């Protein structure tokens, strides 16, 4: 596999607005060719983009079910690109996104990277953004399950850390176009990581998240997955689309992982070239740079979900009072 040629050292200082791959000839060409990739994979053209943005804004301005929703190019394009410029599908995803935020305020409201719990989780290295893109131009997100304390923090704290990172990354048009590679190490996972979750909430978040968050998840590469974590992964793959479950690969060792993921994008604990502390520092800079933009998402509202097209009967729709925050995977039940 071709890997990024940029090697990092302990003394490297990263800035959140620096794309390290631009210093590599191949990756630099990939990023510069983002319009070509967008046209090929997302059906995006300059004229089509302008027309779609105009239709989206007109629809939003006439829609009395939403309020204070961002209408800037960056925000709207994340939905259009996610749905390959199908305007009706982008509109539905936007409504579902607003609905998800409304019904899970414990996750989506006040997403402040300076919140003590979120800050501590980021500092621990549980979730970190690599400053080096992979050979496909994708942003690489690293997960260290053993660094998340399921006794000190709840599953909702874990979700908030994820969402703060994801929302910050989605402000970047390159991430909207190229998508994301997720790489996780399950070492240190225990049954406490599993039983912290209510399976109903977990399943709903998986389904709603796939339908509502406009992220192009291209790969999920996992390694060192213990039995306790395999249990929840199997459950998760049964609740997402076949397309998404097919993008999940579980490796038995780091060597196999290295055959699928550019080593130069990985932390040294994964056999890569980047000290984890450098990744943490890069992630914190990124979050701080986009902190106010992410916090401002709280201004957006959905006043009614009647515009959401669903196969479910109205009586089966999610209600705020039906959402549980207690329970565990000891008893697997899902409606």
């Amino acid at each position: 596999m071709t890997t990024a040629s940029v090697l990092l050292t302990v003394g490297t200082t990263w800035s959140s607005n620096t794309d390290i791959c631009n210093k590599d000839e191949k990756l630099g060409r990939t990023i510069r060719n983002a319009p070509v990739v967008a046209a090929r994979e997302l059906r995006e053209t300059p004229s089509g983009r302008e027309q779609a943005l105009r239709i989206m804004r007109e629809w939003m301005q006439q829609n009395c079910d939403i309020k204070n929703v961002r209408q800037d190019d960056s925000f709207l394009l994340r939905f259009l690109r996610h749905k390959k410029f199908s305007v009706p599908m982008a509109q539905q995803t936007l409504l579902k996104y607003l609905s998800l935020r409304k019904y899970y305020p414990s996750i989506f409201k006040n997403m402040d990277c300076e919140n003590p719990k979120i800050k501590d989780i980021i500092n621990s290295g549980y979730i970190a953004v690599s400053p080096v893109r992979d050979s496909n131009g994708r942003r690489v997100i690293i997960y260290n399950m053993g660094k998340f304390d399921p006794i000190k923090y709840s599953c909702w704290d874990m979700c908030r850390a994820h969402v703060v990172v994801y929302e910050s990354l989605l402000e970047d048009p390159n991430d909207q176009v190229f998508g994301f590679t997720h790489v996780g190490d399950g070492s240190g996972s225990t049954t406490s990581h599993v039983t912290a979750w209510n399976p109903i909430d977990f399943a709903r978040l998986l389904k709603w998240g796939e339908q509502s968050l406009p992220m192009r998840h291209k790969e999920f590469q996992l390694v060192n997955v213990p039995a306790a974590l395999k249990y929840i992964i199997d459950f998760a793959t049964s609740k997402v689309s076949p397309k998404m479950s097919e993008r999940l690969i579980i490796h038995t060792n780091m060597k196999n992982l290295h055959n699928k993921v550019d080593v130069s994008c990985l932390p040294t604990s994964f056999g890569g070239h980047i000290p984890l502390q450098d990744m943490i520092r890069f992630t914190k800079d990124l979050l701080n740079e986009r902190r106010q933009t992410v916090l401002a998402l709280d201004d957006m509202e959905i006043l009614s979900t009647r515009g959401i097209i669903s196969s479910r009967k109205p009586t089966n729709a999610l209600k705020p009072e039906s959402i549980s925050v207690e329970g565990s995977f000891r008893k697997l039940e899902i409606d």
Side-chain angles (χ1 to χ4, degrees):
M1 163 172 282
T2 302
T3 59
S5 64
V6 181
L7 308 184
L8 310 182
T9 62
V10 175
T12 303
T13 300
W14 301 108
S15 114
S16 60
N17 58 10
T18 300
D19 251 332
I20 304 307
C21 64
N22 283 332
K23 297 180 181 179
D24 175 84
E25 184 178 357
K26 179 180 182 297
L27 290 176
R29 286 199 306 271
T30 300
I31 295 300
R32 289 193 296 273
N33 286 337
V36 176
V37 175
R40 183 178 65 245
E41 297 186 10
L42 309 178
R43 300 196 293 261
E44 179 176 346
T45 63
S47 60
R49 179 173 59 245
E50 293 308 312
Q51 182 182 30
L53 286 169
R54 177 178 54 78
I55 295 172
M56 287 288 286
R57 290 192 179 101
E58 290 175 353
W59 168 75
M60 293 169 70
Q61 291 161 8
Q62 297 169 8
N63 193 329
C64 59
D65 291 336
I66 59 178
K67 182 180 178 182
N68 298 328
V69 179
R70 284 174 54 181
Q71 296 185 30
D72 57 280
D73 287 6
S74 175
F75 183 75
L76 297 183
L77 283 171
R78 66 176 70 175
F79 296 96
L80 289 166
R81 286 167 171 155
H82 184 249
K83 290 304 177 182
K84 299 184 178 180
F85 280 81
S86 166
V87 173
M89 293 179 70
Q91 292 169 344
Q92 282 296 302
T93 304
L94 174 56
L95 292 176
K96 290 176 181 179
Y97 166 81
L98 295 171
S99 181
L100 182 64
R101 288 180 53 86
K102 178 178 180 179
Y103 286 110
Y104 280 101
S106 58
I107 299 174
F108 290 92
K109 290 294 184 180
N110 192 31
M111 293 184 293
D112 191 352
C113 62
E114 290 299 310
N115 174 281
K117 289 185 177 180
I118 296 177
K119 193 172 185 178
D120 196 22
I121 292 171
I122 297 298
N123 283 332
S124 74
Y126 160 66
I127 178 172
V129 180
S130 176
V132 178
R133 294 179 180 272
D134 68 14
S135 57
N136 293 305
R138 300 168 187 164
R139 182 63 76 191
V140 179
I141 307 175
I142 303 298
Y143 307 88
N144 294 276
M145 285 301 299
K147 294 186 179 297
F148 181 84
D149 186 343
I151 306 301
K152 187 176 182 180
Y153 301 109
S154 71
C155 60
W156 308 108
D157 298 323
M158 176 188 287
C159 287
R160 283 169 65 78
H162 279 250
V163 173
V164 167
V165 171
Y166 296 163
E167 289 283 11
S168 298
L169 289 171
L170 280 172
E171 292 296 326
D172 188 330
N174 286 323
D175 292 337
Q176 295 174 12
V177 171
F178 292 103
F180 302 91
T181 294
H182 303 266
V183 185
D185 183 356
S187 299
S189 300
T190 66
T191 53
S192 295
H193 287 87
V194 178
T195 57
W197 281 94
N198 178 327
I200 294 177
D201 288 317
F202 185 71
R204 283 174 172 165
L205 281 170
L206 286 171
K207 287 184 176 180
W208 278 45
E210 182 181 357
Q211 297 172 8
S212 309
L213 293 178
M215 296 180 69
R216 302 193 71 210
H217 303 291
K218 304 300 290 184
E219 295 180 13
F220 296 86
Q221 306 282 351
L222 305 181
V223 67
N224 298 326
V225 177
L229 190 58
K230 183 68 164 54
Y231 180 65
I232 197 172
I233 291 172
D234 289 343
F235 181 77
T237 54
S238 72
K239 300 303 173 185
V240 298
S241 67
K243 177 183 74 173
M244 199 63 66
S245 63
E246 289 170 2
R247 295 179 179 179
L248 170 67
I249 300 177
I250 298 178
H251 304 279
T252 56
N253 55 62
M254 286 293 180
K255 183 178 180 179
N256 290 340
L257 175 70
H258 296 166
N259 290 331
K260 294 293 184 179
V261 181
D262 296 328
V263 177
S264 56
C265 304
L266 300 178
T268 52
S269 55
F270 285 49
H273 303 141
I274 312 172
L276 181 59
Q277 285 304 315
D278 282 358
M279 279 195 179
I280 294 172
R281 190 179 306 113
F282 176 84
T283 305
K284 290 165 63 177
D285 288 346
L286 173 76
L287 300 186
N288 284 322
E289 177 186 309
R290 298 173 184 171
R291 178 178 176 234
Q292 293 304 322
T293 301
V294 172
L295 285 172
L297 295 172
D298 285 356
D299 296 337
M300 301 188 301
E301 296 182 61
I302 183 168
L303 307 177
S304 171
T305 59
R306 61 187 174 182
I308 296 177
I309 300 173
S310 174
S311 59
R312 287 191 172 194
K313 296 179 180 179
T315 53
N316 290 335
L318 266 179
K319 304 297 182 184
E321 61 271 15
S322 73
I323 295 173
S324 166
V325 295
E326 300 295 338
S328 78
F329 268 88
R330 292 189 180 92
K331 183 180 180 181
L332 273 179
E333 293 178 353
I334 182 68
D335 56 9

